[in-house]
Amino acid sequence: MMKVFNTYVKIRLWIHRVWLVICALIRSKFEKIPEVHHTFLIIGDGLAEGFGDSVSLAQNSGIANYLQEIDALELNRITKTYWRFVNCGHYAATSYDWSPTNDQKPSYNPSNVTDTLWIDTIHKHHDAKIALVCVGSNDKFNYGDISYTPDETLENIINIYNELSELGIHVILTTIPLRGSTVLDKRLKKARNKLIRKFAVENDIPLVELDMGKFRLKDLYYVDNLHFNSNGYKMFAVETYSHIANTMKKIEFEYYATIIH
């Protein structure tokens, strides 16, 4: 019975992955972007991509979609401008796949990646103002022989943070959800989270703590028990927006101040 269930889960995951790719391709063809806008990047793995979310054709997925909905309701800001929340997540990506020091395409070879994830993303969105970095979930034996220690995960995150900061992009980090992990994997994820949290505190970086109790509820997760479902991504978006709303307002104010002067 368990074998049948595991086969069902694998088929469902494959179908969902294909659907997300189709939706992303169609969205990229028909997206209308206002002339005046600011760009908010969501960088990372399947959690950044929104794997597990219920998505309609051409709709954005995961946190990118729900951040867009939340921001659209913020009508009382005098300096309100359009924010484009760009989904740059890639299923199965490791922290090293996203590192600026990596010169290889991801081993799983996403169809829409022509170079490294870093080069592809930054070349397309060099004008971004904010980037959420959500990596580390796939750094331990999840795919083939790819494996990174907690210290290596942190090193990759620091490289990503430093490069984004040099480009003038505000960064927000996340910890790694713990649900659905084996005992060993959970222990390593806790070690990674401890290092990420310490780095964020020491450098005054906004941090969305996805390992906290409220993010461990079963009702927030997809059938694979690793990625969020729609309810989980909505909560992820609300938590993220609360950390970054003031920075968004500051960027909008600076933009209009430049125009006035």
Side-chain angles (χ1 to χ4, degrees), residues 106-204:
S107 57
Y108 54 91
N109 193 27
S111 58
N112 56 339
V113 178
T114 58
D115 209 309
T116 68
L117 291 179
W118 179 264
I119 291 176
D120 257 25
T121 302
I122 297 306
H123 280 195
K124 291 177 184 175
H125 309 293
H126 55 85
D127 61 341
K129 299 297 183 182
I130 301 174
L132 178 137
V133 179
C134 180
V135 295
S137 292
N138 299 318
D139 281 10
K140 175 64 180 73
F141 295 119
N142 284 12
Y143 300 91
D145 295 325
I146 298 172
S147 172
Y148 301 102
T149 66
D151 286 329
E152 288 172 330
T153 298
L154 179 65
E155 181 182 353
N156 293 330
I157 289 173
I158 290 174
N159 287 335
I160 295 168
Y161 170 78
N162 287 341
E163 287 294 321
L164 289 172
S165 296
E166 285 188 18
L167 292 170
I169 300 173
H170 298 269
V171 179
I172 178 169
L173 300 177
T174 75
T175 52
I176 305 166
L178 300 177
R179 189 171 180 83
S181 305
T182 62
V183 174
L184 174 60
D185 198 24
K186 186 174 290 187
R187 189 170 75 231
L188 289 169
K189 284 181 178 179
K190 285 182 177 180
R192 289 186 177 90
N193 286 339
K194 183 177 180 180
L195 293 173
I196 294 170
R197 190 171 279 109
K198 184 174 183 289
F199 174 68
V201 170
E202 290 177 349
N203 293 276
D204 196 26

Side-chain angles (χ1 to χ4, degrees), residues 96-114:
Y96 184 66
D97 284 328
W98 275 104
S99 176
T101 62
N102 175 27
D103 60 359
Q104 304 269 334
K105 288 180 64 174
S107 57
Y108 54 91
N109 193 27
S111 58
N112 56 339
V113 178
T114 58

